Amino acid sequence: MRLLRLLAPAVALLTAAQLAAAPPATAALPAPDPLDPVIAAVKRQFTGKSGVRFTAKSVERTVGTARTTTSSGAYRLSPSGLSASDVTDVDEEGLYFRVRTIGRASYTQDNKYDPLPKGKKWRSRGYVPNYRWRDDLVDGINLGFLALAASQDHSATEGGTVEGTPCTLLQGTVTVAGLGTTQPGVRFSTKTGGFTGGTISWRLWAGPDHLPRRFHAVITWDNAPEEKDEGFDYIKQNKIYRHWGAGFTITHPPRKSVAPDD
């Protein structure tokens, strides 16, 4: 009995020492944002001067009329944005507009507005800001838009496949203070000003490498009901990205095929 009495305090002391040495409980870490790996993967493509091809379809309703445009082309990427692009838009009537941009120089072709002199295939446009890619473009590979999407509510689920590639579907809706259109697409602004704001409901399918494979957006202007037939109402766009990292080049057209800007 005396031995048991001696051991009991020792056990109690040992237990207290063990408790004192135990590491403190840590607070649960927040779940990683599902867009983080997508943003990181796209950043690597830009910093690695990669490239990607795409096809797209958009439906826009403006001034009371809806029209459909299909697009196709390619982008060469650089750490500062796009180093080059070549994009062709074709409307329902078969009228097309093509713009190729390398650095600060742009060249265009179209079969509606700008008949070219005999023997010429391109029109030199020089530096045209409205032809250029910027961080305010609504696009699934635009880091500016991806940052905006990550800043507002979004979720991730299993997304089936896109052209045979298993994908994760990320989706959400963002509100913006301003929306406007230029040749590359719809631009957004988070600052109030002279533009009509709206909402962008987006879905992005990312592959196992976290790179976007498909992007779908419904962009709706906050026009008052009585103004629905006086400006933009909505634009719906669907874009497929293919051949990430493809080793193609986009070059200036041959000089002899280029007509000067009028």
Side-chain angles (χ1 to χ4, degrees):
M1 290 295 292
R2 190 170 186 278
L3 179 60
L4 289 176
R5 292 193 196 99
L6 290 173
L7 285 175
V11 171
L13 288 173
L14 179 61
T15 303
Q18 288 174 330
L19 290 173
T26 57
L29 296 175
D33 190 307
L35 270 172
D36 283 350
V38 176
I39 293 172
V42 173
K43 280 184 177 178
R44 286 193 293 270
Q45 296 298 309
F46 277 88
T47 56
K49 300 180 179 180
S50 183
V52 65
R53 298 184 184 276
F54 74 90
T55 56
K57 180 179 181 179
S58 66
V59 179
E60 65 177 49
R61 185 181 188 276
T62 179
V63 197
T65 303
R67 67 188 185 102
T68 301
T69 301
T70 58
S71 305
S72 61
Y75 302 132
R76 292 300 310 177
L77 313 179
S78 74
S80 60
L82 293 191
S83 60
S85 61
D86 193 341
V87 180
T88 301
D89 298 329
V90 183
D91 70 14
E92 296 168 308
E93 300 174 0
L95 300 174
Y96 72 89
F97 180 81
R98 181 181 183 184
V99 58
R100 180 182 294 181
T101 297
I102 301 97
R104 294 175 64 86
S106 292
Y107 308 87
T108 63
Q109 296 175 334
D110 75 80
N111 62 354
K112 181 177 181 180
Y113 298 109
D114 186 25
L116 290 167
K118 185 177 180 180
K120 303 298 183 181
K121 297 182 178 179
W122 295 89
R123 176 78 67 184
S124 175
R125 297 298 187 186
Y127 175 72
V128 182
N130 280 350
Y131 291 167
R132 306 189 70 77
W133 177 286
R134 296 202 311 256
D135 280 347
D136 59 358
L137 189 68
V138 179
D139 194 287
I141 66 169
N142 187 5
L143 291 169
F145 178 76
L146 292 175
L148 173 69
S151 72
Q152 301 190 31
D153 288 343
H154 55 281
S155 62
T157 58
E158 194 278 325
T161 62
V162 175
E163 297 186 332
T165 299
C167 289
T168 299
L169 170 60
L170 302 107
Q171 58 188 323
T173 298
V174 296
T175 58
V176 292
L179 289 166
T181 61
T182 54
Q183 193 280 330
V186 180
R187 300 192 186 281
F188 67 89
S189 174
T190 57
K191 299 179 180 179
T192 57
F195 298 98
T196 302
T199 59
I200 305 166
S201 297
W202 59 273
R203 290 184 290 169
L204 178 67
W205 286 258
D209 54 5
H210 306 298
L211 288 173
R213 294 304 198 277
R214 178 186 174 196
F215 178 68
H216 182 272
V218 179
I219 303 156
T220 306
W221 274 255
D222 288 336
N223 293 326
E226 65 272 14
E227 297 175 350
K228 288 295 185 182
D229 292 338
E230 297 179 9
F232 276 101
D233 185 2
Y234 64 78
I235 291 180
K236 300 177 182 179
Q237 61 184 46
N238 184 67
K239 197 167 189 177
I240 303 293
Y241 307 97
R242 300 182 178 95
H243 310 304
W244 279 101
F248 59 85
T249 58
I250 300 173
T251 60
H252 296 272
R255 186 173 298 180
K256 64 181 181 181
S257 71
V258 178
D261 196 1
D262 292 337

